[in-house]
Amino acid sequence: MNMDAISGELIRLLVALLALMAFIAGNGMLLLYVERKVAGHVQRRPGPYEVGPHGLLQALADAGKLVGKQLATPAGADALLFWAAPLMAFMPVPLMFIAVPFGENLWGLGTNLGLVLILSFAGFNVLALCLAGWASNNKWSLLGAARAVSQAVAYEIPLLLAVLAVALMTGSLDLRAVVAHQGGWPWQWNVFVQPLAFFIYFVCAVAETNRAPFDLPEAESELTAGVHTEYSGMGNGIIFLAEYANMLVVSCVATVLFLGGSQGPVLPGPWWFLAKMYALVALIIFMRWTYPRVRFDQLLNLNWRWLMPLALVNLVLTAFFVKLWGGA
Amino acid sequence: MGFITAVGGALRDLKSMFVGLRVTGTNFFMPQETVHYPRQEVDTLATYRGHVELVASDEDPAVARCVGCGLCAELCPSNCIRVEAEDPPADSGICYPSQVGTEMLMPTPKFRVAPPSQAPVARKLLGYHLTYHTCSLCGLCAQNCPAGSLRFSSNVYFAGPGRSTFEIDLLARLRKQAGIKGE
């Protein structure tokens, strides 16, 4: 391998990471605005309205405010872990995006293990929340962290089983291959072959990203703000950004695995990809303002008594039919 | 059997999730209720309870229906009403609450029979003072007024820089309103 090839690949990676960071930050602000607008309109109020036309600059003002705030470390907190946690929540996020094929020729890192890469880095989020809760020296934070861990551990299993069913069908862990396996029209998407897997994946993804109705680690009404109770300024901002970015990641993966990725008629691929991704994000946001938060026993019952057995049955059936007809 | 009912229950619950999304979805597209206050003003004031105001008599808009009995001041739990009226006719034989002398330091609402047994003999009203900043808007005065002379105003945008703004002479206010109307 000569040096030119290495540096070429390196530059490509750096450019991709930079672009993805910008994509994540921009989307963080956009989604914050959309979330508040949706919340407002669902409750028959306008939402952000005063800063800029129709409140468009509200997210920018909030970001400026967060950056300007003092970073306070609570008394008795483990300062190193306390400040490492937000970074640990955010850092894996660009790495997860790097394997996502946004178009036929648009991805950060062409790897044939993209799915494994995303799923393994997704686990970091749990560790970050656990550390944040533990290091805060606050009982609410600790309770939030305990909830985050048990929830993530439980919901990761049906999520993996649902993803595995798709991987079995495609015969590949390469996200590009999964996209190529599907067609441009809705009836050629995996969601029509694997509706149950899609449903399980979607429910687990909402739970994994700690979004309502599964936002127990945050649970304002019980734990003030759960794991990020003690964070001020950008510490809080980064954890929020990571939450929105994780929401985007799970929507990206759902688009790739179940909704035909960047394939579609007429328009170029990336537009189709973004349209499908944002549709899923909008659904997740709508769900937050529709459903009440589940209780913790309901959360775990849903997982262990419904999603797990269903995911297993789905996987066994998939394996059976793949064996019968040869799959991909 | 238990399994089938459990599955049926789960499917019913699943359906309710879609019903919920439909509810929020339709609300999302319905017109908003918010009034953008400094740019728009609230116009539906039918249910608004402002401070109490005097109701003018049918003959003269500058004269209140008030008979000066002082029952409102007597009943007021916040002790925020002061009625000034000329002395009653000596031969009327009617005892007005304002004559009895109430315990002003620690007023307790005495829920007496609202109107006197006889038709109240009108006394000329000289002044009606409301200390609005201690009023709790309970409405006992308006509810019990034997002459129907009190009601809640719809004075929504009532604001002021100090307490003195909220110490209102309602009789003067009525006269002023009548004068403005008359002009």
Side-chain angles (χ1 to χ4, degrees):
Chain A
M1 192 184 272
N2 60 16
M3 288 305 286
D4 287 345
I6 294 174
S7 59
E9 187 64 23
L10 195 65
I11 287 168
R12 184 194 158 90
L13 254 181
L14 284 177
V15 169
L17 274 176
L18 213 61
L20 285 172
M21 291 280 228
F23 179 74
I24 293 165
N27 264 297
M29 289 207 281
L30 173 77
L31 290 182
L32 189 69
Y33 175 75
V34 170
E35 174 113 57
R36 292 176 63 182
K37 269 291 181 195
V38 167
H41 283 255
V42 161
Q43 295 160 3
R44 312 273 295 273
R45 33 183 199 91
Y49 197 81
E50 300 299 325
V51 188
H54 281 265
L56 269 172
L57 300 177
Q58 182 70 56
L60 204 64
D62 286 349
K65 180 201 72 175
L66 277 180
V67 169
K69 274 190 168 179
Q70 189 191 0
L71 297 174
T73 313
D78 187 326
L80 181 67
L81 290 185
F82 185 74
W83 289 113
L87 296 179
M88 205 184 254
F90 184 70
M91 280 208 305
V93 171
L95 296 178
M96 287 194 269
F97 275 105
I98 209 162
V100 173
F102 287 95
E104 282 93 69
N105 292 308
L106 189 63
W107 58 76
L109 180 70
T111 168
N112 56 1
L113 286 174
L115 203 50
V116 177
L117 184 99
I118 290 176
L119 291 172
S120 48
F121 276 115
F124 263 86
N125 190 40
V126 193
L127 185 58
L129 291 186
C130 179
L131 280 186
W134 177 258
S136 290
N137 189 29
N138 176 321
K139 56 190 165 194
W140 309 124
S141 300
L142 186 59
L143 275 173
R147 287 177 173 195
V149 171
S150 57
Q151 177 175 337
V153 165
Y155 275 83
E156 212 143 73
I157 302 166
L159 184 130
L160 289 177
L161 291 176
V163 169
L164 194 57
V166 176
L168 269 184
M169 248 177 55
T170 319
S172 170
L173 292 170
D174 189 342
L175 292 176
R176 295 166 297 175
V178 177
V179 172
H181 185 251
Q182 304 169 67
W185 298 96
W187 56 89
Q188 296 167 317
W189 295 349
N190 272 344
V191 67
F192 280 86
V193 192
Q194 292 277 3
L196 189 57
F198 176 68
F199 176 74
I200 293 169
Y201 173 85
F202 192 68
V203 173
C204 293
V206 173
E208 281 283 302
T209 50
N210 300 328
R211 293 279 304 181
F214 304 113
D215 59 341
L216 283 122
E218 202 179 313
E220 310 92 336
S221 48
E222 305 154 33
L223 307 180
T224 39
V227 284
H228 49 85
T229 305
E230 295 288 353
Y231 284 94
S232 58
M234 258 338 252
N236 189 28
I238 286 178
I239 292 182
F240 256 102
L241 197 58
E243 186 194 314
Y244 279 113
N246 277 321
M247 198 164 98
L248 279 177
V249 170
V250 296
S251 299
C252 279
V253 173
T255 305
V256 167
L257 291 184
F258 296 101
L259 301 182
S262 56
Q263 301 201 60
V266 190
L267 282 173
W271 294 111
W272 277 111
F273 187 91
L274 288 181
K276 293 168 187 174
M277 184 187 80
Y278 282 125
L280 284 175
V281 169
L283 181 60
I284 295 179
I285 288 179
F286 243 94
M287 280 168 65
R288 170 161 178 196
W289 299 104
T290 304
Y291 302 137
R293 186 182 304 124
V294 295
R295 242 172 25 226
F296 203 76
D297 59 316
Q298 292 171 330
L299 176 94
L300 292 181
N301 273 344
L302 177 67
N303 179 63
W304 295 108
R305 292 172 65 181
W306 289 104
L307 297 180
M308 273 278 283
L310 281 177
L312 279 172
V313 167
N314 188 56
L315 184 62
V316 169
L317 284 180
T318 307
F320 178 72
F321 284 115
V322 166
K323 190 74 185 165
L324 209 61
W325 290 317
Chain B
M1 204 59 207
F3 178 72
I4 292 168
T5 50
V7 169
L11 288 177
R12 254 199 321 281
D13 294 351
L14 202 61
K15 187 182 157 233
S16 76
M17 316 275 301
F18 288 98
V19 173
L21 276 179
R22 202 184 65 211
V23 170
T24 42
T26 47
N27 270 296
F28 183 81
F29 291 108
M30 288 216 299
Q32 290 156 16
E33 302 287 348
T34 305
V35 176
H36 295 265
Y37 166 59
R39 294 181 292 275
Q40 300 168 359
E41 295 209 335
V42 186
D43 51 356
T44 49
L45 295 174
T47 54
Y48 182 75
R49 278 184 166 205
H51 62 78
V52 286
E53 65 180 3
L54 289 170
V55 182
S57 64
D58 298 331
E59 298 84 41
D60 187 353
V63 173
R65 288 184 190 173
C66 178
V67 293
C69 69
L71 187 65
C72 44
E74 172 76 1
L75 284 172
C76 179
S78 319
N79 197 19
C80 62
I81 295 174
R82 188 160 56 83
V83 182
E84 284 172 23
E86 68 180 13
D87 289 333
D91 57 340
S92 67
I94 298 170
C95 178
Y96 288 97
S98 56
Q99 285 173 294
V100 179
T102 49
E103 177 55 59
M104 298 304 273
L105 285 176
M106 193 63 188
T108 47
K110 302 174 187 68
F111 297 98
R112 301 182 174 174
V113 180
S117 52
Q118 302 98 322
V121 177
R123 293 195 293 165
K124 192 170 185 306
L125 189 65
L126 299 174
Y128 196 101
H129 299 276
L130 173 70
T131 315
Y132 185 38
H133 53 75
T134 55
C135 172
S136 59
L137 292 168
C138 69
L140 278 176
C141 50
Q143 216 171 34
N144 288 294
C145 180
S149 180
L150 287 173
R151 66 169 175 230
F152 289 108
S153 68
S154 54
N155 198 0
V156 182
Y157 303 111
F158 189 35
R163 285 190 180 189
S164 57
T165 319
F166 304 101
E167 282 152 17
I168 319 164
D169 185 350
L170 288 181
L171 192 61
R173 185 173 177 269
L174 183 75
R175 282 182 185 143
K176 198 176 149 205
Q177 281 180 334
I180 289 165
K181 266 179 204 165
E183 278 166 12

